[in-house]
Amino acid sequence: MKTLIFKTASNYLLPLLLLFAVFILLRGHYLPGGGFVGGLIASIAFVIHSFANGLETTRKIIKFHPGFLMPVGLTIALVAGAAPWLFGMPFMTGLWMDEPIPVIGLVGSALFFDTGVFLVVIGVTLTIIFTISEGL
Amino acid sequence: MLLAVLSGFFVALGLPLIIKVFKGPNTLWVSLFPLSLFIYFISKLPAIKDGETLSSSWAWVPSLGIGLDFYLDGLSLLFTLLITGIGTLVFVYTSSYLKGHIYLDRFYAYLSLFMASMLGLVLADNIITLFIFWELTSISSFFLIGFNNDNEASRKSALTALSITGLGGFFLLTGMVTLGYVAQEYQISALATLSEEIQANALYPLILVMVFVAAFTKSAQFPFHFWLPGAMKAPTPVSTYLHSATMVKAGIYLLARFTPILGNHEWWNGPLIIVGSITMVYAAIHAIFRLDLKAILAYSTISALGILVFLIGLGTDEALLAAGVFILVHALYKATLFLVTGIIDHETGTRDVSKLSGLNKVMLPVGIAAILAAISNAGIPASFGFIGKDLIYEATLHLGNMGYVLTGLAVITNVCLLFAGFLAGIKPFIGPLPPAFSKLHLPPATMWVPPLILASLGMVFGLFPMVVDTALIKPIVSSMTLGTPTFELKIWHGFNIVLLLSLLTIGSGIALYFILKPSEVLFAKATRFEKLSPESAVNQFAKGFVSFSSKWTNFFQNGYLRYYLITILSFLSLLLGYRLFYGVEIYVDTSTLSDITLYEAVIVLIMAAAIFFTVFSKSRLTAVASMGVVGYCFCLIFLFYSAPDLAMTQFSIDTLTVILFVLVLYNLPKYLTLSDTRDRIRDGLLSLIFGALISILTLEVMNETVTKDITSYYAENAYILGKGKNVVNVILVDFRGFDTMVEITVLAIAALGVFSLLKLRLKSIEKE
C-alpha cells in the first residue's frame, strides 16, 4: 500500500485531519461533533499515516507511546469534573466563563471534560491498533 | 472508646513503616500499644462494677442506620480485657518468638488489625457494625493463619478457616438484616426490650438458624469444628491469641449477647444444648488420642467451646454464671498451655507428646506455668478451674431428670479434658530428661513470663474469688440476664453432690492419665474413622465442585468465537421468542410509520446486496469491505432521520472496524472453506431467526407509549443549564457526564487489556 500518491497525500492529510478533529471537538457543544467523534477522526488520521509510511514513521511523529494519552485524558476529565469542588459546588457542575473567547467560543469546564474524552479515545484506539499491527 | 477501637487500624497501617525506620533487634516496645488499651479498659472497671454502662456513637452511614456505636457493659468488658490483656502478653511473647523474622513488622500489623477488629466486635452496639467487625476478624485471622505463606499446608488451612468463617459471616448478615427488619431497630442495647415481639414474629426461627450457623462456624462447633485444628499451622502466638482466647470466643460472645434478645425460648435452648453437648463430648474424646501438643490443645479448645455453647443453651441464671466464669477460666489456662507449647516447640523442635519428658530440669519456670495451668484445667480445689467446674455441675444438676444425663455428659467431657490438660501441661515436664534435650536452656524472660502471669492469675482468682466476683463476674451475668444477680463465688461449698462429682472427675481423669499412654498405634486407630468426619465430606464436596466447574467452564469457554456467538444468540433468541410469543400481543400500527422514499429503498437494496456479498464472497477482504458498506448505509439512514451525531460516530467507528479487520486478515492464510454446508445452514437459520426477532422487537417498541418527560427536559434545559445547543453533546458531557467519565475509564481498561494480552503473547512467542 506504500504507493507514492498515497504516501504524499497522507503527509498532507495528517495535519488537515487533525485540525478537522480539533474543529469537531470544539464545535461539539453547539453543532454535531464532540470529543468522542473528534478522537476517532484524529486516530483515523494517524492510522492512515501509518498505513502509508509504516508504523515506525508514525511512531516517530507521535514521539511517545499513544497509551500515555489515556491517563492524561482521564486526569483532565477528572480535574474538569472536580473543579467545581473548589467553588463549593457538587461534582461535575458546569462552570462557564462570562465572555466567549474569539474563534473558540464560550469556554466552560465541559469543554475541558470533552478534551479529556478526546485524548482518551485517541489513546485507546491507537494503542489497540498499533499493538495489533505490531503483533502480526 | 471510638478511638480505642479504631487506633488498632491506624497502628496496623503505620507499624510496618515505623518498625522499618527503627530497625532494631528488640521490638518489645510495640507491646506498649496493647498495654495502653488494657489500662484504658481496666480503668473503666469501677464504673461497670457499679452497674453503669458506657456508650459512644458516631454516625457512619446515617442513611442506612449504621453507626459506629460502641457500648461497654459487663460482658463486653470481660472480652475487652481478655483481648487487650492476653494481647499484650502475646505481643511481648512474639518479640522473642519471632525475633529476627523478616516479616515481623507485618506480623505485628496483622495482630493489631485483628485486635482492633475483635475490640470492635465485642463493643459494637449496632448489629450491622457488629457484622462488619465480625468479617474483619475473619479476614485478619486469614492473614495470621497463613502467615507462613511459603508452606502449602498453611495456605490451605488459612483458606479453609476463611471459607468456613466467611460462610458464617453470610449467615450472620442475613440474620442481622432479618432481625433489623423484624424489630425495626438496629441498636443492640435497645433490641433487648423488643425481645417478646421478635420471638412472636414468624421470622424468628429464620433469625435463629442464621445466628446459630454464624456462631457455630466461628466458635468451631460440630460439624464446622474442623477448621480449628487445621488453623494450628499458624505461628504459636496466633494460636494462643485467636484460637484459645479471643476469636473462637466470638461465636460465644454472639450467643451471650443475643441471649436477652433471642433467648429464653425452647427453639433457642434446644439446638444449643444438642450441638454444644455433641461438640464437647466428640472433641474431648478426640483430644485424648492426639500426639501433637497443638492438636491436643485444639481439640480440647473445641470441647471447651462446646461446654460454653451448652451452658448458654441451658439458659438458667446458674448456667450463664457458669459460662461467664468458664470463659475467663478457659482463657487463662488455655492461653498458658499454648504459650508453653510454643516454647517447647521453639526450644526442642518437636511437639510430639510421646517424645517429650523431663523438661522441668532445663526450664523450670515454664514447667511451673504449665503445671499450674493443668491444675486449673483439671479443676483441682483451690484453682479457679475448680470454681468453674463446680458451677457447671451445679447448673446441670438443677435441671431435673434431663439434668442427670447432661451432668453425665459434662463429667465425661471434663475427664477427657483433664487428661488432655495433663498430657499438654504435665507430661512434657516430669520424668527423665531424654539426653537429646539435656543441652536446652531457658528461653528469654519475655517468653516465659507471659504464661507464668496467666497461670498465676488462674490460681489467684481461685484462692481469692472475691477479686473478680463483684468486679467482673456479676456485671457479666447481669448483662446476659438483665437482672441483678444474687450469688457469690466461693471456694468451698460444703460436702455435697457437686463436690463428689468434682472428686470423681479428678479421680478418673488421673487414673486415665496413668492407664492411657499416648502412642502412634492409638493415634492410628483413632484416625481410622476420619473418612466419616465432616471434614472429609467438605473436602469431597470441594473436590467435586472444582471438577464440576472445570467441566462447566471447558464446555462454555471452549475458545471458539463461533460457539460463543451461537450460545449467546440462541439463548437470546429463546428468551426473546418466549417472551414475544407468550407475553406480548404483536401489533404493528402501520398508520404511524412514515412513507418509504426512493432513496431509502435504494439504501436498503445496497445493504441487501452487500450482505449477500459478505456471506458468499470467496475473499475475506471483499467480505470485510462489504460489511463496511452495510455500516455506511446505516450512517446514511441515521442522517435521513436527522441524527448527524450518531451518523458521524458510526461512520468513524465503521472505518476503524474495517481497518482493524484488514490488519488482522492481512496475515491470515489463504481463504479456506472451513465450514461445511450443514454448518452454514445452521448459522444462516440462527441469524435469520435472531434478525427476525429483533425486527419484531423494534416494531413493538414503537407501540410502547414512551414518557417524553426526560427527552423534553433535556431538550429544554440543554441551553439554559448546559449552555450548549447540541443536546446530544450536552447530555454526554454535562447531564450524564459522570457516565461518560466511567465509560472512558472502561475504554482505557479495555485498551490496556488488549495491549497486555498481545504483548504477553508476543513475549512467549519470542521465548520459544
Side-chain angles (χ1 to χ4, degrees):
Chain A
M1 276 196 279
K2 293 181 183 176
T3 63
L4 187 62
I5 298 174
F6 189 38
K7 244 180 163 172
T8 319
S10 77
N11 281 335
Y12 290 102
L13 269 176
L14 179 65
L16 276 176
L17 276 174
L18 285 181
L19 199 65
F20 181 62
V22 175
F23 165 70
I24 289 283
L25 161 73
L26 289 179
R27 79 199 281 260
H29 220 57
Y30 302 98
L31 296 160
F36 192 78
V37 194
L40 288 176
I41 294 173
S43 328
I44 292 174
F46 284 114
V47 170
I48 288 176
H49 189 267
S50 78
F51 270 23
N53 302 294
L55 197 58
E56 282 315 305
T57 330
T58 319
R59 273 192 186 285
K60 264 178 210 152
I61 292 179
I62 306 180
K63 293 211 170 65
F64 53 87
H65 194 286
F68 284 115
L69 287 174
M70 294 192 286
V72 172
L74 280 176
T75 317
I76 292 179
L78 193 68
V79 169
W85 275 345
L86 293 179
F87 302 90
M89 285 184 272
F91 189 66
M92 302 277 329
T93 315
L95 294 175
W96 293 94
M97 283 184 172
D98 297 332
E99 292 297 317
I101 294 175
V103 185
I104 297 176
L106 199 60
V107 174
S109 61
L111 181 65
F112 288 98
F113 185 79
D114 225 8
T115 314
V117 176
F118 177 80
L119 292 178
V120 172
V121 170
I122 301 179
V124 168
T125 322
L126 291 186
T127 305
I128 294 179
I129 291 185
F130 282 7
T131 318
I132 289 180
S133 45
E134 253 174 15
L136 299 167
Chain B
M1 214 174 339
L2 181 72
L3 186 69
V5 173
L6 297 185
S7 60
F9 293 110
F10 301 125
V11 169
L13 275 177
L15 258 187
L17 204 73
I18 299 170
I19 292 184
K20 282 243 158 58
V21 174
F22 297 101
K23 220 175 182 131
N26 205 335
T27 47
L28 192 60
W29 54 271
V30 182
S31 325
L32 287 175
F33 163 63
L35 183 67
S36 56
L37 282 179
F38 180 70
I39 293 169
Y40 170 78
F41 282 111
I42 215 157
S43 72
K44 304 285 179 209
L45 198 63
I48 301 295
K49 185 179 160 187
D50 297 338
E52 282 176 45
T53 53
L54 306 168
S55 59
S56 81
S57 71
W58 187 66
W60 184 14
V61 193
S63 50
L64 292 175
I66 301 172
L68 284 177
D69 304 337
F70 297 113
Y71 176 77
L72 186 71
D73 64 354
L75 185 64
S76 29
L77 184 67
L78 170 74
F79 276 93
T80 50
L81 290 181
L82 285 179
I83 294 162
T84 52
I86 296 184
T88 308
L89 297 177
V90 166
F91 270 64
V92 170
Y93 183 87
T94 304
S95 70
S96 296
Y97 187 84
L98 286 179
K99 194 170 200 160
H101 195 287
I102 41 164
Y103 294 133
L104 184 60
D105 49 344
R106 251 185 242 180
F107 188 76
Y108 272 126
Y110 295 152
L111 270 185
S112 318
L113 191 69
F114 173 76
M115 191 168 71
S117 323
M118 205 56 214
L119 280 176
L121 168 61
V122 298
L123 289 169
D125 194 25
N126 180 299
I127 49 180
I128 303 297
T129 319
L130 176 92
F131 162 76
I132 291 167
F133 284 106
W134 178 280
E135 287 294 76
L136 279 173
T137 60
S138 295
I139 294 166
S140 47
S141 74
F142 169 75
F143 290 126
L144 285 168
I145 298 171
F147 182 66
N148 294 321
N149 57 20
D150 45 4
N151 178 345
E152 194 188 341
S154 162
R155 291 199 302 266
K156 189 169 168 261
S157 21
L159 206 59
T160 313
L162 183 69
S163 348
I164 299 286
T165 51
L167 178 80
F170 279 127
F171 279 88
L172 183 67
L173 179 63
T174 323
M176 292 299 109
V177 170
T178 322
L179 179 62
Y181 166 75
V182 167
Q184 289 300 317
E185 175 63 62
Y186 288 86
Q187 206 78 3
I188 294 175
S189 42
L191 274 169
T193 54
L194 299 168
S195 96
E196 272 175 31
E197 290 155 46
I198 296 168
Q199 298 189 4
N201 195 291
L203 287 171
Y204 173 61
L206 181 74
I207 301 173
L208 277 189
V209 171
M210 299 297 156
V211 171
F212 283 165
V213 174
F216 293 167
T217 47
K218 198 79 160 185
S219 284
Q221 295 299 294
F222 186 85
F224 305 109
H225 62 279
F226 53 86
W227 69 263
L228 187 56
M232 292 299 149
K233 301 283 186 305
T236 306
V238 176
S239 312
T240 314
Y241 197 29
L242 273 69
H243 306 130
S244 75
T246 57
M247 188 175 91
V248 288
K249 298 248 170 73
I252 306 297
Y253 170 79
L254 185 76
L255 294 175
R257 182 50 88 203
F258 281 88
T259 295
I261 301 167
L262 302 171
N264 219 353
H265 189 289
E266 60 194 48
W267 289 345
W268 167 270
N269 300 77
L272 289 183
I273 295 177
I274 294 167
V275 172
S277 46
I278 291 178
T279 310
M280 67 187 191
V281 177
Y282 175 90
I285 293 174
H286 258 276
I288 61 177
F289 293 110
R290 302 286 137 174
L291 292 176
D292 181 358
L293 276 176
K294 266 190 158 182
I296 297 172
L297 293 178
Y299 276 103
S300 68
T301 306
I302 297 174
S303 176
L305 294 168
I307 295 178
L308 285 168
V309 170
F310 167 77
L311 288 173
I312 292 173
L314 292 180
T316 58
D317 286 8
E318 278 167 332
L320 292 177
L321 166 67
V325 173
F326 191 62
I327 290 174
L328 186 56
V329 172
H330 177 256
L332 291 176
Y333 76 69
K334 193 52 66 64
T336 311
L337 289 177
F338 265 114
L339 291 175
V340 167
T341 302
I343 297 175
I344 296 176
D345 190 14
H346 201 257
E347 299 297 316
T348 67
T350 178
R351 294 198 308 249
D352 187 336
V353 76
S354 60
K355 289 182 189 147
L356 293 163
S357 68
L359 292 176
N360 252 350
K361 297 189 176 74
V362 282
M363 38 175 101
L364 188 62
V366 183
I368 294 174
I371 291 166
L372 288 180
I375 287 174
S376 184
N377 168 50
I380 288 169
S383 66
F384 198 33
F386 175 67
I387 300 178
K389 198 160 48 176
D390 268 13
L391 287 169
I392 296 173
Y393 288 154
E394 221 162 281
T396 53
L397 274 176
H398 290 180
L399 285 173
N401 284 338
M402 259 299 274
Y404 294 114
V405 182
L406 298 177
T407 313
L409 291 177
V411 172
I412 297 174
T413 310
N414 273 321
V415 169
C416 296
L417 281 185
L418 184 148
F419 174 79
F422 273 30
L423 215 54
I426 295 185
K427 165 127 198 334
F429 292 97
I430 55 170
L433 183 71
F437 297 155
S438 59
K439 289 213 178 91
L440 295 180
H441 52 86
L442 191 65
T446 42
M447 279 180 90
W448 59 260
V449 169
L452 202 56
I453 293 177
L454 287 172
S456 325
L457 278 180
M459 298 310 283
V460 172
F461 291 166
L463 288 169
F464 309 103
M466 45 287 196
V467 178
V468 282
D469 181 28
T470 48
L472 205 53
I473 304 298
K474 274 188 183 160
I476 299 171
V477 177
S478 64
S479 57
M480 279 194 275
T481 59
L482 298 179
T484 326
T486 52
F487 64 82
E488 214 171 309
L489 290 185
K490 279 181 289 191
I491 323 174
W492 184 247
H493 292 265
F495 288 102
N496 54 14
I497 188 158
V498 173
L499 184 69
L500 210 66
L501 283 172
S502 261
L503 293 178
L504 176 73
T505 312
I506 296 168
S508 11
I510 293 176
L512 190 65
Y513 175 68
F514 284 109
I515 298 165
L516 200 66
K517 291 283 169 220
S519 70
E520 293 286 349
V521 185
L522 269 177
F523 180 64
K525 271 185 190 160
T527 45
R528 257 196 323 208
F529 300 102
E530 248 351 58
K531 269 185 204 143
L532 298 171
S533 74
E535 183 179 8
S536 334
V538 169
N539 281 342
Q540 284 298 323
F541 173 77
K543 260 184 215 153
F545 190 76
V546 169
S547 83
F548 171 74
S549 28
S550 66
K551 272 183 196 142
W552 175 272
T553 311
N554 286 338
F555 181 72
F556 283 106
Q557 309 294 328
N558 43 37
Y560 291 102
L561 191 58
R562 48 184 176 280
Y563 293 131
Y564 288 146
L565 276 177
I566 288 176
T567 315
I568 294 169
L569 292 186
S570 6
F571 181 72
L572 263 179
S573 304
L574 276 176
L575 210 64
L576 265 179
Y578 176 81
R579 188 77 191 116
L580 286 176
F581 197 72
Y582 281 104
V584 184
E585 209 175 309
I586 295 173
Y587 166 74
V588 179
D589 189 2
T590 39
S591 62
T592 55
L593 301 178
S594 53
D595 294 327
I596 298 169
T597 55
L598 180 64
Y599 45 81
E600 281 164 6
V602 171
I603 293 283
V604 171
L605 269 179
I606 297 175
M607 273 165 97
I611 291 169
F612 190 80
F613 259 103
T614 315
V615 176
F616 292 102
S617 150
K618 288 282 170 207
S619 143
R620 285 200 194 88
L621 270 178
T622 320
V624 167
S626 327
M627 287 262 287
V629 172
V630 177
Y632 286 163
C633 290
F634 269 117
C635 299
L636 284 176
I637 291 179
F638 286 145
L639 265 184
F640 294 155
Y641 288 93
S642 54
D645 270 290
L646 212 52
M648 264 166 81
T649 315
Q650 173 83 24
F651 190 82
S652 331
I653 288 282
D654 250 301
T655 313
L656 280 170
T657 314
V658 171
I659 290 175
L660 268 177
F661 262 120
V662 170
L663 273 176
V664 175
L665 294 183
Y666 211 63
N667 292 277
L668 286 181
K670 211 175 146 317
Y671 188 83
L672 294 169
T673 314
L674 290 169
S675 51
D676 57 20
T677 327
R678 252 181 61 203
D679 286 349
R680 295 191 139 226
I681 291 175
R682 177 197 65 196
D683 296 350
L685 266 179
L686 187 64
S687 321
L688 279 177
I689 292 171
F690 188 67
L693 283 172
I694 292 290
S695 314
I696 296 172
L697 185 74
T698 317
L699 288 171
E700 273 301 307
V701 169
M702 306 276 293
N703 287 343
E704 289 291 314
T705 42
V706 189
T707 42
K708 299 247 174 177
D709 290 355
I710 304 170
T711 324
S712 53
Y713 172 83
Y714 283 148
E716 281 163 18
N717 289 296
Y719 193 68
I720 303 168
L721 297 174
K723 308 217 186 231
K725 287 179 186 142
N726 178 2
V727 183
V728 178
N729 203 54
V730 173
I731 291 175
L732 280 177
V733 299
D734 202 323
F735 289 135
R736 313 292 309 247
F738 205 74
D739 289 5
T740 314
M741 182 78 221
V742 178
E743 276 156 19
I744 53 176
T745 316
V746 170
L747 268 183
I749 293 169
L752 288 178
V754 171
F755 180 74
S756 43
L757 276 177
L758 285 173
K759 283 283 169 192
L760 252 142
R761 200 186 64 117
L762 282 182
K763 272 189 191 142
S764 66
I765 290 172
E766 278 164 17
K767 262 185 199 164
E768 282 161 15

Short mmCIF file of all heavy atoms in Angstrom, two decimals, chain B residues 147 204 286 309 418 426 526 533 584 722:
data_model
loop_
_atom_site.label_atom_id
_atom_site.label_comp_id
_atom_site.label_asym_id
_atom_site.label_seq_id
_atom_site.Cartn_x
_atom_site.Cartn_y
_atom_site.Cartn_z
N PHE B 147 0.29 -17.00 57.81
CA PHE B 147 1.50 -16.16 57.90
C PHE B 147 2.70 -16.85 57.27
O PHE B 147 3.50 -16.22 56.58
CB PHE B 147 1.78 -15.82 59.37
CG PHE B 147 2.96 -14.93 59.54
CD1 PHE B 147 2.95 -13.64 59.06
CD2 PHE B 147 4.10 -15.39 60.18
CE1 PHE B 147 4.05 -12.81 59.20
CE2 PHE B 147 5.20 -14.56 60.33
CZ PHE B 147 5.16 -13.28 59.83
N TYR B 204 -38.81 -15.40 63.34
CA TYR B 204 -37.92 -15.71 64.47
C TYR B 204 -37.08 -16.97 64.23
O TYR B 204 -35.86 -16.93 64.42
CB TYR B 204 -38.75 -15.81 65.75
CG TYR B 204 -38.00 -16.27 66.96
CD1 TYR B 204 -36.92 -15.55 67.46
CD2 TYR B 204 -38.37 -17.44 67.63
CE1 TYR B 204 -36.24 -15.98 68.58
CE2 TYR B 204 -37.70 -17.88 68.75
CZ TYR B 204 -36.62 -17.15 69.22
OH TYR B 204 -35.94 -17.58 70.33
N HIS B 286 -11.76 -36.92 71.02
CA HIS B 286 -10.72 -36.76 70.01
C HIS B 286 -9.40 -36.31 70.63
O HIS B 286 -8.33 -36.73 70.22
CB HIS B 286 -11.16 -35.73 68.97
CG HIS B 286 -11.63 -36.35 67.70
ND1 HIS B 286 -10.78 -36.73 66.71
CD2 HIS B 286 -12.87 -36.67 67.27
CE1 HIS B 286 -11.46 -37.26 65.73
NE2 HIS B 286 -12.74 -37.24 66.03
N VAL B 309 -21.24 -23.28 74.73
CA VAL B 309 -22.49 -23.24 73.97
C VAL B 309 -23.58 -23.97 74.74
O VAL B 309 -24.72 -23.50 74.86
CB VAL B 309 -22.28 -23.88 72.58
CG1 VAL B 309 -23.60 -24.08 71.87
CG2 VAL B 309 -21.37 -23.01 71.73
N LEU B 418 -9.39 -33.11 81.38
CA LEU B 418 -8.36 -33.19 82.40
C LEU B 418 -7.18 -33.99 81.88
O LEU B 418 -6.02 -33.58 82.01
CB LEU B 418 -8.94 -33.85 83.65
CG LEU B 418 -8.04 -33.95 84.88
CD1 LEU B 418 -8.90 -33.87 86.12
CD2 LEU B 418 -7.24 -35.23 84.91
N ILE B 426 1.59 -31.36 81.94
CA ILE B 426 2.42 -32.02 82.95
C ILE B 426 3.40 -33.02 82.34
O ILE B 426 4.58 -33.02 82.64
CB ILE B 426 1.52 -32.68 84.01
CG1 ILE B 426 0.75 -31.58 84.74
CG2 ILE B 426 2.35 -33.52 84.98
CD1 ILE B 426 -0.09 -32.05 85.89
N ALA B 526 -7.46 -44.14 66.13
CA ALA B 526 -8.46 -43.08 66.24
C ALA B 526 -8.70 -42.39 64.92
O ALA B 526 -9.80 -41.92 64.65
CB ALA B 526 -8.01 -42.06 67.29
N SER B 533 -15.71 -38.24 58.88
CA SER B 533 -15.82 -36.97 59.57
C SER B 533 -16.35 -35.88 58.62
O SER B 533 -16.25 -36.01 57.41
CB SER B 533 -14.46 -36.55 60.10
OG SER B 533 -13.68 -36.14 59.01
N VAL B 584 -46.56 -10.90 24.84
CA VAL B 584 -46.81 -9.64 24.12
C VAL B 584 -47.78 -9.89 22.97
O VAL B 584 -47.71 -10.90 22.28
CB VAL B 584 -45.48 -9.08 23.56
CG1 VAL B 584 -45.70 -7.74 22.91
CG2 VAL B 584 -44.46 -8.99 24.66
N GLY B 722 -26.92 23.86 30.44
CA GLY B 722 -25.67 23.32 29.93
C GLY B 722 -24.98 24.24 28.95
O GLY B 722 -23.88 23.97 28.49
#
